[in-house]
Amino acid sequence: MKIALVLVASFLILAVSTNAQNVLTRKEIYNTNRDAVVQIYVGDNFSGTGFIVSADGTIVTAKHVVATRDSHYREYAGQIMVLVFRKGIATPYPATPIAAQISADQVNYDFVKLKIEATALPFVKMGDWDEVDIDSEITVIPSFPGPGTLMLHGTVSSKGAFRNDLGPKPVNTILFQCPIHNGFSGAPIFSSKGNVIGIVDTKVFGISPALDGLKGRWSAGRGTVFLSGVDVAASFLELINNLDQNLVSGLGSGVAIDYAKKQQGAATHR
């Protein structure tokens, strides 16, 4: 009996030790993956974030980062460029969508793959959204003009299948408490194991729909009214934008990586 108890205790200690070894610090996750995170530009304008998933230059991002709103995100924007960082040095690459047409699933899941002509690139490890649950710690590495990449930390607030405005299919979605800003769309969300389990997607799952609706109505009916030399309409829109950014700074949403993994697997078996 004593031998059995010792064996059980030894097994539990080994299991705890193994789990502890699988957990990385936020700094380890950042240092390991920061060069795999890229900036995405449409024309001369910074549009969002992406991340490298293969050494030969396959990049994943949120589809709305490189698609046009006027086409309801069914057409790619022109002149997509990716800025890759290696040891602090930025190199621009022209990027081409792997799929020439945007499928209904890509619109629904807000996912797209791009290709650049490069080799020996650092790349992330793909995980699964089952690696996180409510109160799990997550690390987000967004791209930002100037510093290159940032490290953000947060916790999962909720996860479930939600429908968005772009398609009829429910999308596995992670809601998390973490500072989010314009331009972070497409950034990778890491579990504590250092695997990508989601893509930041704040535009499709708008966190502040009331302000977004107000902004749209005000923009549509905007005239030019000056008061003491100040354009009232322009100032009001600026106020809404600032409120929107500050109100959502503690909450974000991410599309789970399961669709991206499915597409990656399909490509491997072709």
Side-chain angles (χ1 to χ4, degrees):
M1 187 65 167
K2 288 183 179 179
I3 294 176
L5 288 174
V6 170
L7 289 174
V8 170
S10 299
F11 176 77
L12 290 174
I13 292 171
L14 179 62
V16 171
S17 175
T18 302
N19 287 334
Q21 290 175 0
N22 288 335
V23 174
L24 303 178
T25 67
R26 299 191 296 272
K27 187 174 182 179
E28 287 173 333
I29 293 172
Y30 177 73
N31 287 337
T32 301
N33 295 283
R34 62 182 177 183
D35 286 346
V37 176
V38 302
Q39 293 181 6
I40 298 177
Y41 287 78
V42 172
D44 295 327
N45 299 315
F46 173 70
S47 183
T49 302
F51 51 96
I52 304 168
V53 297
S54 70
D56 63 352
T58 303
I59 292 166
V60 165
T61 186
K63 182 255 323 136
H64 73 260
V65 171
V66 293
T68 63
R69 180 178 293 185
D70 291 343
S71 69
H72 299 288
Y73 304 109
R74 294 305 298 266
E75 295 179 4
Y76 292 111
Q79 297 181 335
I80 302 170
M81 187 191 74
V82 169
L83 210 58
V84 176
F85 292 84
R86 298 193 199 187
K87 297 181 179 179
I89 299 175
T91 304
Y93 293 91
T96 305
I98 288 180
Q101 303 294 324
I102 299 177
S103 69
D105 269 354
Q106 282 177 286
V107 174
N108 190 93
Y109 289 92
D110 202 25
F111 162 84
V112 71
K113 288 194 295 186
L114 307 174
K115 187 71 170 64
I116 62 174
E117 295 301 322
T119 58
L121 294 173
F123 58 94
V124 303
K125 293 180 180 179
M126 304 283 263
D128 191 278
W129 88 319
D130 288 333
E131 294 178 27
V132 298
D133 205 341
I134 293 175
D135 202 38
S136 294
E137 293 189 351
I138 52 123
T139 301
V140 180
I141 306 181
S143 179
F144 202 70
T149 54
L150 305 174
M151 184 192 75
L152 304 175
H153 174 248
T155 55
V156 175
S157 303
S158 179
K159 55 180 290 196
F162 301 105
R163 289 179 59 183
N164 59 48
D165 293 335
L166 297 181
K169 298 180 182 179
V171 180
N172 284 343
T173 305
I174 302 163
L175 298 181
F176 55 86
Q177 296 176 353
C178 181
I180 292 297
H181 193 276
N182 289 342
F184 292 1
S185 290
I189 305 169
F190 294 87
S191 71
S192 58
K193 295 180 180 180
N195 300 324
V196 176
I197 49 88
I199 306 171
V200 173
D201 180 10
T202 56
K203 286 189 177 179
V204 173
F205 295 95
I207 303 303
S208 185
L211 278 176
D212 192 53
L214 179 61
K215 182 169 60 177
R217 292 194 302 274
W218 188 263
S219 298
R222 177 184 168 186
T224 303
V225 179
F226 285 91
L227 182 63
S228 300
V230 176
D231 187 333
V232 176
S235 298
F236 188 56
L237 285 173
E238 183 179 0
L239 174 63
I240 294 174
N241 288 332
N242 287 329
L243 281 172
D244 196 23
Q245 289 180 15
N246 284 291
L247 286 175
V248 306
S249 63
L251 185 64
S253 64
V255 176
I257 207 70
D258 55 352
Y259 181 71
K261 284 185 64 181
K262 178 182 175 184
Q263 296 301 301
Q264 197 78 0
T268 302
H269 290 95
R270 276 202 289 264

